[in-house]
């Protein structure tokens, strides 16, 4: 599929996740088969642009194009300014967040809270599209099916977005009130797809090659977006892409492959964040990689107390040294995961 002028290599995408989809993670997922990745949310408030956190989110060095940056906020002019600012920093696609259900985002009338005010949604979309159009940068939208199950207004919002000039739409199959509970529903995604000519990306509970195939067929969507199912399992993108293209399964990674993947990820992660932040922010990634592998709990507990990147790496190397390099590092895939 295409987003504006960009032709994407496959229909398996990385969902933007706060505190997860940083530059090292996006680069890794693309290397392991993801056709497209969107950054974690960047603040639209100019007063925050000089913060350390935002500066990291604006760093796209070495990342494969198209670089896509997600912006969040509720002020149309401020969001337009943020879009242009990010384009100047290297963004090739701007994505607007109207799907985040977090209280701190919704309490600021941003994220999925915007679904309660369709007039404001229109002003935001018009403002950002108008700002990006002269720059040749397409604008996409990520949203949910509605504020709650009694107000599933995604079809109206989607048609409005297409009319305004949004280049592609990602739809999570839950309302804001659902948060990440229960099962994602795909009927609304299918309805939206039937109404639009622009690409539609399905999101929510896609955690296996079979589920991706099912969702694409059921909804008619052009692509799938995977979030939490990829935490600690970034090779899911090549697994899904290979299955969709061939109908065949790839073997699970061996302990040797997992070791190489994890240590490469950590090396890039440490360089990106530095010693103090790097060793701490790496803990969640290590936990996700190892959580469902045999005899990993003691290691994870120790990793969470280590305060040196060198010692953190050494502990992992010692653990992998006691595993067969060519043995399959199989893990149980949870039955219900939300993107």
């Amino acid at each position: 599929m295409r987003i504006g002028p960009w032709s994407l290599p496959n229909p398996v995408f990385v969902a933007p996740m706060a505190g997860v989809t940083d530059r090292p993670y996006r680069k890794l997922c693309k290397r392991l088969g993801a056709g497209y990745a969107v950054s974690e949310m960047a603040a639209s408030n100019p007063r925050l642009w000089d913060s350390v956190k935002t500066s990291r989110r604006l760093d796209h060095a070495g990342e494969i194009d198209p670089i896509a940056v997600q912006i969040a906020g509720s002020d149309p002019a401020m969001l337009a300014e943020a879009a242009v600012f990010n384009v100047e920093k290297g963004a090739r696609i701007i994505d607007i967040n109207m799907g985040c259900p977090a209280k701190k985002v919704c309490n600021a009338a941003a994220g999925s809270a915007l679904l309660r005010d369709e007039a404001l949604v229109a002003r935001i979309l018009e403002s950002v599209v108008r700002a990006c159009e002269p720059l040749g940068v397409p604008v996409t939208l990520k949203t949910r099916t509605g504020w709650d199950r009694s107000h599933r207004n995604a079809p109206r919002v989607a048609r409005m977005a297409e009319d305004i000039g949004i280049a592609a739409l990602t739809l999570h199959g839950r309302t804001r009130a659902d948060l990440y509970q229960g099962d994602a529903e795909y009927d609304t995604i299918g309805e939206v797809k039937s109404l639009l000519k622009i690409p539609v990306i399905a999101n929510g509970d896609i955690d296996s090659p079979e589920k991706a195939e099912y969702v694409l067929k059921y909804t008619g969507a052009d692509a799938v977006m995977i979030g939490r199912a990829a935490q600690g399992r970034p090779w899911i993108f090549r697994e899904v892409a290979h299955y969709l293209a061939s109908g065949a399964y790839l073997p699970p990674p061996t302990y040797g492959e997992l070791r190489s993947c994890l240590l490469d990820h950590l090396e890039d992660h440490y360089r990106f964040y530095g010693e103090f932040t790097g060793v701490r922010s790496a803990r969640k990634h290590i936990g996700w990689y190892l959580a469902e592998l045999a005899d990993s709990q003691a290691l994870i507990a120790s990793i969470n107390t280590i305060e040196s990147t060198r010692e953190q790496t050494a502990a992992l190397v010692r653990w992998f040294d006691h595993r067969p390099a060519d043995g399959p590092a199989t893990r149980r895939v949870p039955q219900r995961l939300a993107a």
Side-chain angles (χ1 to χ4, degrees), residues 300-318:
I300 294 170
S302 69
I303 287 292
N304 289 336
T305 66
I306 293 174
E307 298 193 358
S308 156
T309 58
R310 181 182 58 80
E311 292 177 16
Q312 200 173 65
T313 300
L316 288 165
V317 169
R318 287 193 298 270

Side-chain angles (χ1 to χ4, degrees), residues 2 15 21-22 73 118 121 124 173 206 228 232 235 238 255 264 329:
R2 298 180 66 87
T21 49
D22 52 25
E118 293 180 22
V121 168
I124 288 172
I206 299 165
R228 293 204 303 174
W235 49 86
R238 72 182 182 195
Y255 275 106
D264 285 351

Side-chain angles (χ1 to χ4, degrees), residues 76 98 117-128 160-161 164:
M98 292 189 186
D117 189 341
E118 293 180 22
L120 177 57
V121 168
R123 292 197 300 275
I124 288 172
L125 299 181
E126 288 168 351
S127 181
V128 177
M160 177 172 64
I164 288 170

Side-chain angles (χ1 to χ4, degrees), residues 275-314:
E275 177 72 19
F276 181 84
T277 301
V279 71
R280 288 161 176 79
S281 56
R283 292 169 182 165
K284 61 178 179 287
H285 288 285
I286 296 169
W288 290 330
Y289 276 102
L290 304 180
E292 297 177 21
L293 296 178
D295 304 319
S296 63
Q297 293 307 308
L299 171 63
I300 294 170
S302 69
I303 287 292
N304 289 336
T305 66
I306 293 174
E307 298 193 358
S308 156
T309 58
R310 181 182 58 80
E311 292 177 16
Q312 200 173 65
T313 300

